[in-house]
Amino acid sequence: GNLEWLDKSKSSFLVMWRRPEEWGKLIYQWVVKNGLTNSVFTLYELTSGDDTENEEFHGLDESMLLRALQALQQEHKAEIITLDDGRGVKFF
């Protein structure tokens, strides 16, 4: 479950340290632990902000972050939103 083919001919693949759902779970645990439900964050704040500096998802690649947030969105725990200067997420 930690390998994903990037093309149909299966000539290149992505090996993931954690699946997007696992990253989403870690992010959501941080949100709940810090009382940040009903808060909005930019993607930058989540992966590069001072508040997440000691979290495992700090520095996470943006494409993997988006996939993690999409998994949370499917669980109705978050909503990816468009902000003036990029994308953000609201947690529920």
Side-chain angles (χ1 to χ4, degrees), residues 31-51:
V31 168
V32 171
K33 177 179 73 176
N34 290 289
L36 299 170
T37 53
N38 295 316
S39 297
V40 175
F41 293 91
T42 64
L43 300 187
Y44 178 84
E45 287 174 308
L46 287 176
T47 59
S48 303
D50 294 340
D51 294 338

Side-chain angles (χ1 to χ4, degrees), residues 15 18-19 28 30 56 60 62 69-70 82-83 90:
V15 176
R18 289 193 168 95
R19 294 188 329 264
Y28 195 72
W30 174 80
E56 291 183 62
L60 188 64
E62 186 174 319
L69 296 175
Q70 288 168 346
T82 301
L83 302 170
K90 180 175 182 175

